[in-house]
Amino acid sequence: MDRRRTIIASVLATVVAGAAGVLLKVQRDREWAHGGDDVSVAVDLRLADHETFDATVVTLGGPSSHQTGAPPGSQALVVRASWSEAPSDDGHHYSLIALDKRVFPPRLLSANGAWVAGAATESTGSHWSSAYTELAEHYDWLAKTAMVTDERGSTFPGSAIAAPALSSGALVATWFTDTADGRLPLTDPLAEVLIALVYVDDDGDVRWAKRIFG
């Protein structure tokens, strides 16, 4: 009898574990498809050069003095992103990524620096994580975010800008448009640029990306 009870308990445990796994997959698939649907985002973006960079940052709500100005001869994309109704779980964070969509899949722009808009204009940095590679598996427009591994090792495709872990906030972020590989400079960011908001949980796992501009 005891052996029979043990077998039954083992079978039930397997069934419960399998059902939980299926439910989790369904939940995650729905997150990939609909995560961020309730987040409201407004985006304003401008092109700047070495001469206009500082003034453009200030115009969009950044500080009047900072250490990441555009070098001579460069072109920069300056973006103000404001959001509300975002998740507010402890330990999570958001990231902003910008891409050149004149090619498909769109290519990441080089993140520069950012500031939390407001009286304090707190600065925030740029980064990249191997966890972001999962974005390419779920969104065709983020196929270029996959980490490339070859005989030389692993290469990160670019960088993202860290956004504050707030349910509502605003960030002034800057990217440089890299023309060193022969790409032409941007001329119409309203038509040529894509901006995405990425949600990362407290384990460092990407949960969803939301196309917020372009």
Side-chain angles (χ1 to χ4, degrees), residues 57-84:
V57 169
V58 172
T59 297
L60 292 184
S64 57
S65 60
H66 44 79
Q67 304 298 317
T68 55
S74 68
Q75 183 190 62
L77 177 71
V78 185
V79 174
R80 179 187 175 95
S82 306
W83 64 90
S84 60

Side-chain angles (χ1 to χ4, degrees), residues 48-54 66-77 110-113 174-179:
D49 56 23
H50 175 67
E51 288 74 24
T52 62
F53 182 82
D54 289 350
H66 44 79
Q67 304 298 317
T68 55
S74 68
Q75 183 190 62
L77 177 71
S110 300
N112 175 36
T174 59
W175 288 265
F176 290 134
T177 57
D178 184 9
T179 57

Side-chain angles (χ1 to χ4, degrees), residues 10-98:
S10 178
V11 169
L12 287 175
T14 300
V15 170
V16 170
V22 170
L23 289 174
L24 180 60
K25 184 181 185 307
V26 170
Q27 178 184 346
R28 291 295 286 118
D29 287 346
R30 177 170 177 78
E31 268 190 321
W32 286 117
H34 299 287
D37 280 359
D38 295 333
V39 180
S40 177
V41 185
V43 177
D44 188 3
L45 69 170
R46 319 278 175 88
L47 288 179
D49 56 23
H50 175 67
E51 288 74 24
T52 62
F53 182 82
D54 289 350
T56 304
V57 169
V58 172
T59 297
L60 292 184
S64 57
S65 60
H66 44 79
Q67 304 298 317
T68 55
S74 68
Q75 183 190 62
L77 177 71
V78 185
V79 174
R80 179 187 175 95
S82 306
W83 64 90
S84 60
E85 306 302 325
S88 57
D89 301 329
D90 291 340
H92 77 286
H93 68 274
Y94 306 109
S95 293
L96 287 177
I97 54 178

Side-chain angles (χ1 to χ4, degrees), residues 116-155:
V116 179
T121 56
E122 176 188 354
S123 64
T124 181
S126 61
H127 68 287
W128 195 257
S129 167
S130 58
Y132 286 33
T133 292
E134 194 168 1
L135 292 170
E137 301 172 11
H138 297 277
Y139 308 103
D140 59 352
W141 49 277
L142 289 177
K144 285 291 187 181
T145 60
M147 186 170 59
V148 177
T149 302
D150 54 26
E151 65 276 3
R152 295 170 296 179
S154 297
T155 303

